[in-house]
Structures are given as structure tokens and as C-alpha cells.
Amino acid sequence: MGDLFSDKLELNGVAVCAGALDRPAQEQMVKDLRLLAGNAPFRQYQTPGGRKMSVRMSAAGALGWVTDRSGYRYDPHQPDGRDWPEIPEGVLAVWRRFSGVNRIPDSCLVNFYGKGAKMGMHQDRDEADTKWPVVSISLGDDALFRVGSAEPRGPTKSVWLKSGDVAVLSGEGRMVYHGIDRIRFGSSDLLPDGGRLNVTLRVAG
Ligand code: MD6
Ligand code: FE
């Protein structure tokens, strides 16, 4: 997994490859994601419990991830009925470089964190087969990433994810609880209006 060109840190089985993407690669990815958002707008979903999520979400690939009063699920269609756009090539290249597996991801979720946005502790468990890894790319503002264990209330460790960092949940780390406590709004100049993009790749179906 990964390669020799970035700093690798291990947190409860989660690999964090700091500096995996250089600035030009980050800029290209932001361009690709702007195009993507033209075909799959960022939406603010409600949890099954009826709460508005603070993160705005878009997606690409055969399956996007949506949530509403009927539950969390992977869905082949956007809420407006359209297919999801294709996963950008540069994003697929990150999967090939870091996933350690020979399968193509069928789902690419894109989260946007504006000022004050965060994500509660959760496990990624909606995938049909959780033996496949999850690869996550951070772009823009720094984010405080909290990683626990496979138990809901175990001890946790935290790390600041910076623009260009890649995190991989696989093996031991695949089912750990994790979340984003907060972002340092305005800490990066990658996105002109601030905020953070997080791209996660999965074999979901
Ligand atoms: C985030 N990430 O970084 C939230 N999930 O904004 C996740 O929920 C996540 O980073 C699975 C694998 C890696 C992740
Ligand atoms: Fe997650």
C-alpha cells in the first residue's frame, strides 16, 4: 500500500499518508470536482433521525451515497433521478496507488465542509462487502480526524489531516469508528473561499 514518497503514520490500523498529493495534483483534482459538481450538485442531506448534516455531499460512480428519512444507503441514482457522473481519472489513480487491491471502486463520495462543519463518529458499514478498503483524500482546510477502534466507545487518537493527505482504512483498520471533530477554516488557500473537500473511494456494491 502507498509508496516511498510520503510520510506514513499508523493510527489504530488506519494508514495516513501525509503529503501524498502535490499541489498541482490537488489543483487538478479540485478542477475535476468542480466539473463533477456541475452534474451532481452538493446536497445537504438529513439523517434518518431527521437532522440536517453539516457536511454537503456529492458523489460519482455507479453508486452514490444518500440519506433521508428512509435510511442511509448506496443508490444508483441521484435524488433528482439522474445517474451519478463518472469518477474522475485522477481520483481513480489515487485508488490504484494506495488501495492495495486489484479492483476498481464503484463509488466516490465527495464531502464539502464549510465553516463549522464536522462529522460524528461512525463506521463505514453500508458497503455490501467490507473486506474492500476505503481510500480517503483530503483537500483544502486542515481537519481534526479522530480514530477509535472497532468498538463504539473505545479510546481514540486524533491527527490533523492536511490538504493532499491520503488515509486508507483496510485490514485491521477497516471497521474502526472515525469522525471529523472540526476543521481549521481558512487554513489552506487551495479553495479560494475556504473549506475542505474529502473524497472517499469504495467498492460499495
Ligand atoms: C472525512 N472521512 O475525512 C470523513 N471514511 O471527511 C471518513 O468518513 C472516512 O476518511 C472512511 C474512510 C476514510 C475516511
Ligand atoms: Fe467514514
Side-chain angles (χ1 to χ4, degrees):
M1 178 202 314
D3 51 41
L4 302 169
F5 302 102
S6 53
D7 269 333
K8 196 163 133 186
L9 191 127
E10 193 97 8
L11 271 186
N12 298 349
V14 174
V16 176
C17 307
L21 300 182
D22 64 15
R23 176 78 185 208
Q26 295 171 40
E27 286 172 359
Q28 183 59 51
M29 199 168 289
V30 170
K31 277 190 198 162
D32 293 344
L33 295 174
R34 281 190 202 288
L35 285 179
L36 192 159
N39 294 311
F42 283 93
R43 297 178 170 97
Q44 196 168 17
Y45 290 111
Q46 283 196 23
T47 64
R51 283 205 215 152
K52 248 191 187 175
M53 298 183 74
S54 58
V55 168
R56 292 173 186 274
M57 297 185 163
S58 180
L63 294 169
W65 190 84
V66 300
T67 158
D68 56 26
R69 294 311 289 251
S70 65
Y72 301 104
R73 62 183 179 280
Y74 284 99
D75 199 307
H77 300 291
Q78 301 188 41
D80 62 14
R82 285 184 289 175
D83 289 348
W84 301 99
E86 286 189 12
I87 303 176
E89 178 47 39
V91 173
L92 288 173
V94 175
W95 172 272
R96 287 193 292 269
R97 183 172 155 202
F98 290 98
S99 71
V101 299
N102 230 324
R103 234 192 87 183
I104 298 171
D106 57 13
S107 180
C108 171
L109 308 188
V110 188
N111 295 329
F112 176 74
Y113 295 71
K115 210 178 213 144
K118 57 192 170 157
M119 185 171 298
M121 294 291 279
H122 65 277
Q123 276 175 314
D124 283 30
R125 57 188 305 167
D126 297 328
E127 298 74 32
D129 186 345
T130 54
K131 84 171 180 212
W132 301 107
V134 181
V135 172
S136 150
I137 307 164
S138 292
L139 296 167
D141 289 342
D142 303 348
L144 188 56
F145 186 47
R146 183 190 293 271
V147 178
S149 68
E151 310 301 326
R153 276 169 293 274
T156 64
K157 294 178 185 172
S158 296
V159 63
W160 283 97
L161 293 178
K162 296 189 180 298
S163 195
D165 292 357
V166 169
V168 182
L169 270 65
S170 66
E172 293 263 284
R174 177 62 178 80
M175 297 309 288
V176 299
Y177 280 82
H178 57 276
I180 297 291
D181 287 345
R182 60 194 167 92
I183 68 166
R184 266 184 196 136
F185 190 80
S187 51
S188 160
D189 63 1
L190 185 69
L191 304 175
D193 299 322
R196 172 176 183 258
L197 288 165
N198 172 253
V199 179
T200 48
L201 290 161
R202 296 178 176 79
V203 178

PDB file of all heavy atoms in Angstrom, residues 80-100:
ATOM      1  N   ASP A  80     -32.551  13.500  -7.731  1.00  0.00           N
ATOM      2  CA  ASP A  80     -33.355  14.036  -8.841  1.00  0.00           C
ATOM      3  C   ASP A  80     -33.518  13.020  -9.977  1.00  0.00           C
ATOM      4  O   ASP A  80     -34.054  13.341 -11.029  1.00  0.00           O
ATOM      5  CB  ASP A  80     -32.752  15.345  -9.365  1.00  0.00           C
ATOM      6  CG  ASP A  80     -31.341  15.158  -9.933  1.00  0.00           C
ATOM      7  OD1 ASP A  80     -30.919  14.004 -10.180  1.00  0.00           O
ATOM      8  OD2 ASP A  80     -30.653  16.178 -10.130  1.00  0.00           O
ATOM      9  N   GLY A  81     -33.049  11.795  -9.799  1.00  0.00           N
ATOM     10  CA  GLY A  81     -33.257  10.737 -10.788  1.00  0.00           C
ATOM     11  C   GLY A  81     -32.094  10.518 -11.744  1.00  0.00           C
ATOM     12  O   GLY A  81     -32.039   9.502 -12.432  1.00  0.00           O
ATOM     13  N   ARG A  82     -31.174  11.494 -11.815  1.00  0.00           N
ATOM     14  CA  ARG A  82     -30.042  11.332 -12.741  1.00  0.00           C
ATOM     15  C   ARG A  82     -29.057  10.274 -12.252  1.00  0.00           C
ATOM     16  O   ARG A  82     -28.946  10.026 -11.054  1.00  0.00           O
ATOM     17  CB  ARG A  82     -29.280  12.671 -12.875  1.00  0.00           C
ATOM     18  CG  ARG A  82     -30.002  13.696 -13.718  1.00  0.00           C
ATOM     19  CD  ARG A  82     -29.138  14.936 -13.885  1.00  0.00           C
ATOM     20  NE  ARG A  82     -29.022  15.723 -12.650  1.00  0.00           N
ATOM     21  CZ  ARG A  82     -28.249  16.782 -12.517  1.00  0.00           C
ATOM     22  NH1 ARG A  82     -27.495  17.197 -13.525  1.00  0.00           N
ATOM     23  NH2 ARG A  82     -28.210  17.454 -11.384  1.00  0.00           N
ATOM     24  N   ASP A  83     -28.307   9.693 -13.202  1.00  0.00           N
ATOM     25  CA  ASP A  83     -27.158   8.875 -12.834  1.00  0.00           C
ATOM     26  C   ASP A  83     -26.118   9.775 -12.186  1.00  0.00           C
ATOM     27  O   ASP A  83     -26.092  10.982 -12.410  1.00  0.00           O
ATOM     28  CB  ASP A  83     -26.515   8.255 -14.087  1.00  0.00           C
ATOM     29  CG  ASP A  83     -27.372   7.163 -14.709  1.00  0.00           C
ATOM     30  OD1 ASP A  83     -28.341   6.708 -14.066  1.00  0.00           O
ATOM     31  OD2 ASP A  83     -27.068   6.786 -15.851  1.00  0.00           O
ATOM     32  N   TRP A  84     -25.215   9.170 -11.434  1.00  0.00           N
ATOM     33  CA  TRP A  84     -24.053   9.911 -10.926  1.00  0.00           C
ATOM     34  C   TRP A  84     -23.028  10.047 -12.047  1.00  0.00           C
ATOM     35  O   TRP A  84     -22.922   9.163 -12.899  1.00  0.00           O
ATOM     36  CB  TRP A  84     -23.420   9.160  -9.756  1.00  0.00           C
ATOM     37  CG  TRP A  84     -24.359   8.928  -8.614  1.00  0.00           C
ATOM     38  CD1 TRP A  84     -25.046   7.777  -8.347  1.00  0.00           C
ATOM     39  CD2 TRP A  84     -24.726   9.855  -7.592  1.00  0.00           C
ATOM     40  NE1 TRP A  84     -25.815   7.938  -7.223  1.00  0.00           N
ATOM     41  CE2 TRP A  84     -25.640   9.196  -6.729  1.00  0.00           C
ATOM     42  CE3 TRP A  84     -24.373  11.179  -7.308  1.00  0.00           C
ATOM     43  CZ2 TRP A  84     -26.203   9.826  -5.616  1.00  0.00           C
ATOM     44  CZ3 TRP A  84     -24.919  11.793  -6.194  1.00  0.00           C
ATOM     45  CH2 TRP A  84     -25.825  11.122  -5.366  1.00  0.00           C
ATOM     46  N   PRO A  85     -22.242  11.124 -12.046  1.00  0.00           N
ATOM     47  CA  PRO A  85     -21.182  11.244 -13.067  1.00  0.00           C
ATOM     48  C   PRO A  85     -20.073  10.205 -12.867  1.00  0.00           C
ATOM     49  O   PRO A  85     -20.042   9.513 -11.850  1.00  0.00           O
ATOM     50  CB  PRO A  85     -20.643  12.668 -12.858  1.00  0.00           C
ATOM     51  CG  PRO A  85     -21.113  13.109 -11.526  1.00  0.00           C
ATOM     52  CD  PRO A  85     -22.323  12.303 -11.167  1.00  0.00           C
ATOM     53  N   GLU A  86     -19.197  10.119 -13.855  1.00  0.00           N
ATOM     54  CA  GLU A  86     -18.086   9.161 -13.737  1.00  0.00           C
ATOM     55  C   GLU A  86     -17.044   9.632 -12.724  1.00  0.00           C
ATOM     56  O   GLU A  86     -16.862  10.833 -12.505  1.00  0.00           O
ATOM     57  CB  GLU A  86     -17.402   8.990 -15.100  1.00  0.00           C
ATOM     58  CG  GLU A  86     -18.257   8.158 -16.030  1.00  0.00           C
ATOM     59  CD  GLU A  86     -17.544   7.782 -17.314  1.00  0.00           C
ATOM     60  OE1 GLU A  86     -16.313   7.974 -17.401  1.00  0.00           O
ATOM     61  OE2 GLU A  86     -18.235   7.293 -18.212  1.00  0.00           O
ATOM     62  N   ILE A  87     -16.349   8.670 -12.143  1.00  0.00           N
ATOM     63  CA  ILE A  87     -15.267   9.004 -11.202  1.00  0.00           C
ATOM     64  C   ILE A  87     -14.105   9.598 -12.002  1.00  0.00           C
ATOM     65  O   ILE A  87     -13.649   8.994 -12.977  1.00  0.00           O
ATOM     66  CB  ILE A  87     -14.800   7.751 -10.434  1.00  0.00           C
ATOM     67  CG1 ILE A  87     -15.978   7.109  -9.687  1.00  0.00           C
ATOM     68  CG2 ILE A  87     -13.664   8.115  -9.466  1.00  0.00           C
ATOM     69  CD1 ILE A  87     -15.636   5.800  -8.966  1.00  0.00           C
ATOM     70  N   PRO A  88     -13.615  10.784 -11.633  1.00  0.00           N
ATOM     71  CA  PRO A  88     -12.509  11.400 -12.386  1.00  0.00           C
ATOM     72  C   PRO A  88     -11.267  10.499 -12.407  1.00  0.00           C
ATOM     73  O   PRO A  88     -10.959   9.829 -11.417  1.00  0.00           O
ATOM     74  CB  PRO A  88     -12.233  12.702 -11.624  1.00  0.00           C
ATOM     75  CG  PRO A  88     -13.477  12.992 -10.859  1.00  0.00           C
ATOM     76  CD  PRO A  88     -14.096  11.649 -10.542  1.00  0.00           C
ATOM     77  N   GLU A  89     -10.560  10.530 -13.516  1.00  0.00           N
ATOM     78  CA  GLU A  89      -9.391   9.660 -13.691  1.00  0.00           C
ATOM     79  C   GLU A  89      -8.318   9.888 -12.609  1.00  0.00           C
ATOM     80  O   GLU A  89      -7.728   8.941 -12.101  1.00  0.00           O
ATOM     81  CB  GLU A  89      -8.809   9.867 -15.100  1.00  0.00           C
ATOM     82  CG  GLU A  89      -7.558   9.063 -15.406  1.00  0.00           C
ATOM     83  CD  GLU A  89      -7.615   7.580 -15.024  1.00  0.00           C
ATOM     84  OE1 GLU A  89      -8.680   6.956 -15.213  1.00  0.00           O
ATOM     85  OE2 GLU A  89      -6.597   7.063 -14.528  1.00  0.00           O
ATOM     86  N   GLY A  90      -8.089  11.149 -12.267  1.00  0.00           N
ATOM     87  CA  GLY A  90      -7.062  11.447 -11.257  1.00  0.00           C
ATOM     88  C   GLY A  90      -7.408  10.858  -9.894  1.00  0.00           C
ATOM     89  O   GLY A  90      -6.526  10.512  -9.103  1.00  0.00           O
ATOM     90  N   VAL A  91      -8.696  10.758  -9.626  1.00  0.00           N
ATOM     91  CA  VAL A  91      -9.153  10.169  -8.363  1.00  0.00           C
ATOM     92  C   VAL A  91      -8.936   8.657  -8.401  1.00  0.00           C
ATOM     93  O   VAL A  91      -8.446   8.050  -7.436  1.00  0.00           O
ATOM     94  CB  VAL A  91     -10.639  10.535  -8.118  1.00  0.00           C
ATOM     95  CG1 VAL A  91     -11.181   9.789  -6.913  1.00  0.00           C
ATOM     96  CG2 VAL A  91     -10.797  12.046  -7.935  1.00  0.00           C
ATOM     97  N   LEU A  92      -9.257   8.044  -9.548  1.00  0.00           N
ATOM     98  CA  LEU A  92      -9.020   6.598  -9.704  1.00  0.00           C
ATOM     99  C   LEU A  92      -7.534   6.265  -9.553  1.00  0.00           C
ATOM    100  O   LEU A  92      -7.174   5.214  -9.015  1.00  0.00           O
ATOM    101  CB  LEU A  92      -9.521   6.113 -11.066  1.00  0.00           C
ATOM    102  CG  LEU A  92     -11.039   6.055 -11.232  1.00  0.00           C
ATOM    103  CD1 LEU A  92     -11.394   5.718 -12.687  1.00  0.00           C
ATOM    104  CD2 LEU A  92     -11.654   5.042 -10.280  1.00  0.00           C
ATOM    105  N   ALA A  93      -6.686   7.170 -10.021  1.00  0.00           N
ATOM    106  CA  ALA A  93      -5.237   6.934  -9.927  1.00  0.00           C
ATOM    107  C   ALA A  93      -4.798   6.855  -8.467  1.00  0.00           C
ATOM    108  O   ALA A  93      -3.895   6.078  -8.116  1.00  0.00           O
ATOM    109  CB  ALA A  93      -4.482   8.036 -10.667  1.00  0.00           C
ATOM    110  N   VAL A  94      -5.438   7.643  -7.606  1.00  0.00           N
ATOM    111  CA  VAL A  94      -5.098   7.589  -6.173  1.00  0.00           C
ATOM    112  C   VAL A  94      -5.504   6.230  -5.589  1.00  0.00           C
ATOM    113  O   VAL A  94      -4.770   5.631  -4.795  1.00  0.00           O
ATOM    114  CB  VAL A  94      -5.775   8.754  -5.413  1.00  0.00           C
ATOM    115  CG1 VAL A  94      -5.539   8.635  -3.910  1.00  0.00           C
ATOM    116  CG2 VAL A  94      -5.253  10.094  -5.927  1.00  0.00           C
ATOM    117  N   TRP A  95      -6.650   5.730  -6.014  1.00  0.00           N
ATOM    118  CA  TRP A  95      -7.073   4.381  -5.583  1.00  0.00           C
ATOM    119  C   TRP A  95      -6.040   3.335  -6.003  1.00  0.00           C
ATOM    120  O   TRP A  95      -5.623   2.494  -5.214  1.00  0.00           O
ATOM    121  CB  TRP A  95      -8.439   4.053  -6.176  1.00  0.00           C
ATOM    122  CG  TRP A  95      -8.876   2.624  -5.961  1.00  0.00           C
ATOM    123  CD1 TRP A  95      -8.607   1.551  -6.763  1.00  0.00           C
ATOM    124  CD2 TRP A  95      -9.633   2.101  -4.852  1.00  0.00           C
ATOM    125  NE1 TRP A  95      -9.162   0.404  -6.236  1.00  0.00           N
ATOM    126  CE2 TRP A  95      -9.795   0.712  -5.069  1.00  0.00           C
ATOM    127  CE3 TRP A  95     -10.209   2.687  -3.707  1.00  0.00           C
ATOM    128  CZ2 TRP A  95     -10.505  -0.111  -4.183  1.00  0.00           C
ATOM    129  CZ3 TRP A  95     -10.909   1.866  -2.827  1.00  0.00           C
ATOM    130  CH2 TRP A  95     -11.047   0.495  -3.071  1.00  0.00           C
ATOM    131  N   ARG A  96      -5.595   3.420  -7.261  1.00  0.00           N
ATOM    132  CA  ARG A  96      -4.632   2.420  -7.745  1.00  0.00           C
ATOM    133  C   ARG A  96      -3.334   2.488  -6.947  1.00  0.00           C
ATOM    134  O   ARG A  96      -2.701   1.479  -6.676  1.00  0.00           O
ATOM    135  CB  ARG A  96      -4.359   2.621  -9.244  1.00  0.00           C
ATOM    136  CG  ARG A  96      -5.525   2.180 -10.133  1.00  0.00           C
ATOM    137  CD  ARG A  96      -5.108   2.088 -11.598  1.00  0.00           C
ATOM    138  NE  ARG A  96      -4.808   3.401 -12.170  1.00  0.00           N
ATOM    139  CZ  ARG A  96      -5.698   4.179 -12.788  1.00  0.00           C
ATOM    140  NH1 ARG A  96      -6.946   3.764 -12.945  1.00  0.00           N
ATOM    141  NH2 ARG A  96      -5.357   5.350 -13.262  1.00  0.00           N
ATOM    142  N   ARG A  97      -2.964   3.689  -6.557  1.00  0.00           N
ATOM    143  CA  ARG A  97      -1.700   3.867  -5.860  1.00  0.00           C
ATOM    144  C   ARG A  97      -1.771   3.432  -4.397  1.00  0.00           C
ATOM    145  O   ARG A  97      -0.801   2.942  -3.843  1.00  0.00           O
ATOM    146  CB  ARG A  97      -1.313   5.347  -5.967  1.00  0.00           C
ATOM    147  CG  ARG A  97       0.010   5.736  -5.376  1.00  0.00           C
ATOM    148  CD  ARG A  97       0.344   7.205  -5.725  1.00  0.00           C
ATOM    149  NE  ARG A  97       1.245   7.770  -4.741  1.00  0.00           N
ATOM    150  CZ  ARG A  97       1.392   9.073  -4.511  1.00  0.00           C
ATOM    151  NH1 ARG A  97       0.685   9.952  -5.208  1.00  0.00           N
ATOM    152  NH2 ARG A  97       2.228   9.499  -3.611  1.00  0.00           N
ATOM    153  N   PHE A  98      -2.917   3.597  -3.753  1.00  0.00           N
ATOM    154  CA  PHE A  98      -2.987   3.384  -2.304  1.00  0.00           C
ATOM    155  C   PHE A  98      -3.878   2.258  -1.825  1.00  0.00           C
ATOM    156  O   PHE A  98      -3.784   1.859  -0.663  1.00  0.00           O
ATOM    157  CB  PHE A  98      -3.423   4.682  -1.601  1.00  0.00           C
ATOM    158  CG  PHE A  98      -2.374   5.749  -1.633  1.00  0.00           C
ATOM    159  CD1 PHE A  98      -2.409   6.754  -2.581  1.00  0.00           C
ATOM    160  CD2 PHE A  98      -1.326   5.720  -0.723  1.00  0.00           C
ATOM    161  CE1 PHE A  98      -1.418   7.721  -2.631  1.00  0.00           C
ATOM    162  CE2 PHE A  98      -0.339   6.692  -0.759  1.00  0.00           C
ATOM    163  CZ  PHE A  98      -0.381   7.694  -1.711  1.00  0.00           C
ATOM    164  N   SER A  99      -4.779   1.739  -2.645  1.00  0.00           N
ATOM    165  CA  SER A  99      -5.754   0.764  -2.115  1.00  0.00           C
ATOM    166  C   SER A  99      -5.127  -0.581  -1.814  1.00  0.00           C
ATOM    167  O   SER A  99      -5.601  -1.310  -0.931  1.00  0.00           O
ATOM    168  CB  SER A  99      -6.906   0.571  -3.098  1.00  0.00           C
ATOM    169  OG  SER A  99      -6.451  -0.133  -4.244  1.00  0.00           O
ATOM    170  N   GLY A 100      -4.096  -0.956  -2.586  1.00  0.00           N
ATOM    171  CA  GLY A 100      -3.503  -2.275  -2.395  1.00  0.00           C
ATOM    172  C   GLY A 100      -4.339  -3.402  -2.960  1.00  0.00           C
ATOM    173  O   GLY A 100      -4.025  -4.569  -2.722  1.00  0.00           O
TER     174      GLY A 100
END
